[in-house]
């Protein structure tokens, strides 16, 4: 595969999907580790495995199914990624975010992202849901920005604004839905690291000082690419474990998946409510 993703490559994949579905999706969704369940609620679903699509990256992580599900949720046409692509799987930043480009080209004007994250804010407990209000692009700061390479001028500007990565109206809607359903909704800054190793106690102390409330291995590049194309973003983190600043406990992928079982219904309530309110 070439180094940078081209518009032709994006459109070739989008055309393949278009041939198989009747609806034009408006909302794109990416579901995080252990949070896949919502994709099974999509009505009139057309399921397209990533492996059916030309030059499409395939997710290799346990808890990620690896397919698009196109259909309706709360009456809105959606395209859902049941399983995301992570940079740590060995793909380039462009490949990692290629699905966002494809969903945008298919007509999606908004991106809803969910992820499993470690709670850095000391008030957070496993099972909490955090509305992402801003993000720390630590991958970008170390030279890994998905927009590197020739700019796709047809999609967005060379130097896109990032003053509002997460849409304020969507945030307000999510707060309202959470209140109506008596769900505690935490809020804060999501820090994106490449992974796959979890953070050391020193990493976590650094993140806390830097103003992070949650930390994970995804989302930030996806939201940058979405904003580049003018998509509006909503982000929800499921807090699967507490940051371990003194090294007294270990973090495992199993606990991340397990916490997903508690978090999934909360995220589903919020996502459904926001969709209804659009
Ligand atoms: N760190 C990074 N990513 C994660 C974590 C964590 O503690 N939990 C779930 N995803």
């Amino acid at each position: 595969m070439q180094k940078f993703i081209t518009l032709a490559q994006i459109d070739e994949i989008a055309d393949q999907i278009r041939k198989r579905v009747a609806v034009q999706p408006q909302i794109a969704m990416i579901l995080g580790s252990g949070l896949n369940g919502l994709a099974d609620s999509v009505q009139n679903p057309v399921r397209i495995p990533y492996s059916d699509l030309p030059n499409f990256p395939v997710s290799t992580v346990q808890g990620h199914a690896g397919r698009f599900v196109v259909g309706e949720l709360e009456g809105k046409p959606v395209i859902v990624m049941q399983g995301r692509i992570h940079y740590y799987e060995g793909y380039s930043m462009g490949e990692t975010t290629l699905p966002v480009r494809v969903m945008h080209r298919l007509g999606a004007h908004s991106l809803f992202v969910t992820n499993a994250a470690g709670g850095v804010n000391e008030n957070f407990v496993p099972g909490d849901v955090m509305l992402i209000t801003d993000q720390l692009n630590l991958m970008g700061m170390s030279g890994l920005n998905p927009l590197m390479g020739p700019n796709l001028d047809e999609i967005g500007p060379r130097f896109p604004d990032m003053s509002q990565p997460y849409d304020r109206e969507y945030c307000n809607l999510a707060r309202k839905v959470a209140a109506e359903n008596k769900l505690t909704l935490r809020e804060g800054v999501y820090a994106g690291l490449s992974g796959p190793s979890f953070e050391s106690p020193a990493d976590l102390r650094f993140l806390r000082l830097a103003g992070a409330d949650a930390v994970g291995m995804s989302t930030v590049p996806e939201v940058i690419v979405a904003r580049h194309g003018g998509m509006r973003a909503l982000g929800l983190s499921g807090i699967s474990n507490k940051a371990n600043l003194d090294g007294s406990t270990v973090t495992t992928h199993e606990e991340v998946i397990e916490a997903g079982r508690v978090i999934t219904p909360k995220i589903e309530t919020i996502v459904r409510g926001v969709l209804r309110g659009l």
Side-chain angles (χ1 to χ4, degrees), residues 116-118 198-199 215-217 240-241 251 256:
F198 288 116
E199 300 71 37
V215 58
M217 305 175 190
S240 49
N241 52 285
T251 304
V256 173

Short mmCIF file of all heavy atoms in Angstrom, two decimals, residues 116-118 198-199 215-217 240-241 251 256, ligand 1:
data_model
loop_
_atom_site.label_atom_id
_atom_site.label_comp_id
_atom_site.label_asym_id
_atom_site.label_seq_id
_atom_site.Cartn_x
_atom_site.Cartn_y
_atom_site.Cartn_z
N ALA A 116 -12.93 2.89 25.20
CA ALA A 116 -12.61 2.50 26.57
C ALA A 116 -11.39 3.31 26.97
O ALA A 116 -10.48 3.51 26.17
CB ALA A 116 -12.29 1.02 26.63
N ALA A 117 -11.39 3.84 28.19
CA ALA A 117 -10.29 4.70 28.60
C ALA A 117 -9.95 4.48 30.06
O ALA A 117 -10.77 4.01 30.84
CB ALA A 117 -10.67 6.17 28.37
N GLY A 118 -8.73 4.82 30.40
CA GLY A 118 -8.31 4.78 31.80
C GLY A 118 -8.70 6.10 32.45
O GLY A 118 -8.59 7.17 31.84
N PHE A 198 0.17 -0.10 28.34
CA PHE A 198 -0.53 0.84 29.21
C PHE A 198 0.49 1.79 29.82
O PHE A 198 1.70 1.61 29.68
CB PHE A 198 -1.28 0.08 30.32
CG PHE A 198 -2.51 -0.66 29.81
CD1 PHE A 198 -2.58 -2.05 29.88
CD2 PHE A 198 -3.59 0.02 29.29
CE1 PHE A 198 -3.71 -2.73 29.43
CE2 PHE A 198 -4.72 -0.65 28.83
CZ PHE A 198 -4.77 -2.03 28.90
N GLU A 199 0.01 2.82 30.52
CA GLU A 199 0.90 3.87 31.01
C GLU A 199 1.64 3.43 32.28
O GLU A 199 1.11 2.70 33.11
CB GLU A 199 0.09 5.14 31.33
CG GLU A 199 -0.64 5.71 30.14
CD GLU A 199 -1.82 4.87 29.69
OE1 GLU A 199 -2.51 4.30 30.56
OE2 GLU A 199 -2.03 4.75 28.47
N VAL A 215 -7.45 8.59 29.55
CA VAL A 215 -6.39 8.28 28.59
C VAL A 215 -6.75 7.01 27.83
O VAL A 215 -7.29 6.07 28.40
CB VAL A 215 -5.01 8.13 29.30
CG1 VAL A 215 -5.03 7.06 30.39
CG2 VAL A 215 -3.90 7.84 28.30
N GLY A 216 -6.44 7.04 26.54
CA GLY A 216 -6.72 5.86 25.72
C GLY A 216 -5.83 5.84 24.49
O GLY A 216 -4.93 6.67 24.34
N MET A 217 -6.12 4.87 23.61
CA MET A 217 -5.22 4.60 22.48
C MET A 217 -5.91 4.83 21.13
O MET A 217 -5.54 4.22 20.14
CB MET A 217 -4.72 3.15 22.56
CG MET A 217 -4.07 2.80 23.89
SD MET A 217 -3.66 1.06 23.97
CE MET A 217 -3.20 0.91 25.72
N SER A 240 -12.80 2.38 32.10
CA SER A 240 -12.73 0.94 32.40
C SER A 240 -11.82 0.62 33.58
O SER A 240 -11.91 -0.46 34.15
CB SER A 240 -12.31 0.17 31.16
OG SER A 240 -11.18 0.76 30.59
N ASN A 241 -10.95 1.53 33.90
CA ASN A 241 -10.03 1.29 35.01
C ASN A 241 -9.52 2.62 35.53
O ASN A 241 -9.60 3.63 34.85
CB ASN A 241 -8.85 0.43 34.53
CG ASN A 241 -8.19 1.00 33.29
OD1 ASN A 241 -8.73 0.89 32.19
ND2 ASN A 241 -7.07 1.64 33.48
N THR A 251 -3.12 -3.10 35.09
CA THR A 251 -4.24 -2.88 34.17
C THR A 251 -4.21 -3.99 33.13
O THR A 251 -3.14 -4.32 32.60
CB THR A 251 -4.08 -1.51 33.47
OG1 THR A 251 -3.98 -0.52 34.47
CG2 THR A 251 -5.28 -1.22 32.58
N VAL A 256 -10.81 -4.18 30.84
CA VAL A 256 -11.37 -3.19 29.93
C VAL A 256 -12.65 -3.75 29.29
O VAL A 256 -13.69 -3.09 29.22
CB VAL A 256 -10.32 -2.81 28.84
CG1 VAL A 256 -10.94 -1.91 27.78
CG2 VAL A 256 -9.11 -2.13 29.48
N1 LIG B 1 -4.81 3.36 29.30
C1 LIG B 1 -4.89 3.45 27.96
N2 LIG B 1 -5.89 2.96 27.26
C2 LIG B 1 -6.87 2.36 27.93
C3 LIG B 1 -6.86 2.25 29.33
C4 LIG B 1 -5.76 2.77 30.05
O1 LIG B 1 -5.68 2.71 31.28
N3 LIG B 1 -8.01 1.61 29.69
C5 LIG B 1 -8.68 1.35 28.54
N4 LIG B 1 -8.00 1.82 27.48
#
